[in-house]
Amino acid sequence: MSYWYIGISVLVVTVLIIQSIGFYKLHKSNMKRLGIPKSNKDSKEWNDFVDLFKEHKIHEGFIRVLANHNEDEEVMLHFNSLGWSNDYRKNKYILVKVSFEYDGYDKGEPARFGSYDLYMDQIVNIGRIEEGGCYGNYDINYHVDCQLEDGRILQLIFEREEDSANGNR
């Protein structure tokens, strides 16, 4: 009788392994078909993006999450306060999460409430930080596109703190 259970157990484990391999191949082919690039973590673009948050350099701007490449807007937040992160491990700065809040966040104005948390492990690829950018009637100094692991595009359109302090708007 115990040989019967061992045989069934081996069969079930084998089927599970084959099924797992099939799911992996299917997932990998879907990733290729969607055109999601490999991560560019530790690239110059990635490091430049992280540096924006080390000293709270972002002052004002917009966060847009596009549902697809046709620019169907899924999320939009106009923030007028810092994008920040205070994640440190073993005295080394590691950016894990970036948070943005609209300026009405703590002013008791429910209609103006808004916040957005960006987790770095959701980002697959970060583009170059480029000058120029606008949203609606606002001209903003910089923009960067980040591709999320689910294929959506996050656009950060922002002013740097030092630019605002110098009167550049």
Side-chain angles (χ1 to χ4, degrees):
M1 193 83 170
S2 66
Y3 291 118
W4 174 257
Y5 290 121
I6 292 172
I8 295 290
S9 297
V10 169
L11 180 62
V12 167
V13 168
T14 303
V15 168
L16 289 174
I17 290 172
I18 291 170
Q19 188 177 22
S20 296
I21 292 170
F23 283 138
Y24 173 76
K25 286 182 179 180
L26 178 65
H27 175 72
K28 191 166 181 123
S29 68
N30 284 340
M31 294 291 274
K32 285 181 182 177
R33 190 175 24 187
L34 290 172
I36 296 174
K38 292 181 181 177
S39 175
N40 66 344
K41 192 170 186 174
D42 296 326
S43 67
K44 180 182 181 334
E45 290 83 7
W46 191 281
N47 293 332
D48 289 346
F49 185 77
V50 170
D51 285 344
L52 290 173
F53 303 98
K54 283 186 177 179
E55 297 176 6
H56 307 290
K57 291 181 180 177
I58 291 183
H59 174 65
E60 180 180 11
F62 295 89
I63 296 222
R64 297 178 67 207
V65 178
L66 306 178
N68 54 45
H69 294 284
N70 296 329
E71 300 215 3
D72 292 336
E73 198 169 77
E74 185 176 295
V75 172
M76 189 283 289
L77 171 68
H78 172 211
F79 62 92
N80 193 11
S81 59
L82 297 178
W84 76 91
S85 179
N86 294 313
D87 299 314
Y88 291 87
R89 293 189 185 161
K90 296 184 181 176
N91 296 324
K92 183 178 179 186
Y93 185 90
I94 299 173
L95 187 61
V96 176
K97 179 180 88 168
V98 182
S99 298
F100 298 89
E101 295 177 352
Y102 189 70
D103 61 354
Y105 178 77
D106 60 351
K107 296 180 181 164
E109 301 175 29
R112 300 180 69 199
F113 174 85
S115 66
Y116 184 82
D117 291 331
L118 172 62
Y119 291 89
M120 294 302 285
D121 62 353
Q122 295 174 341
I123 297 176
V124 176
N125 197 297
I126 295 177
R128 286 189 358 210
I129 297 172
E130 298 186 22
E131 288 192 39
C134 63
Y135 188 81
N137 295 329
Y138 293 90
D139 287 329
I140 307 291
N141 296 339
Y142 298 94
H143 71 277
V144 62
D145 288 350
C146 305
Q147 189 162 19
L148 303 178
E149 63 186 3
D150 61 5
R152 296 178 302 160
I153 301 292
L154 179 134
Q155 291 182 336
L156 179 59
I157 306 166
F158 62 96
E159 286 186 356
R160 291 187 184 195
E161 184 69 28
E162 60 266 13
D163 294 336
S164 296
N166 293 333
N168 298 338
R169 286 208 44 123

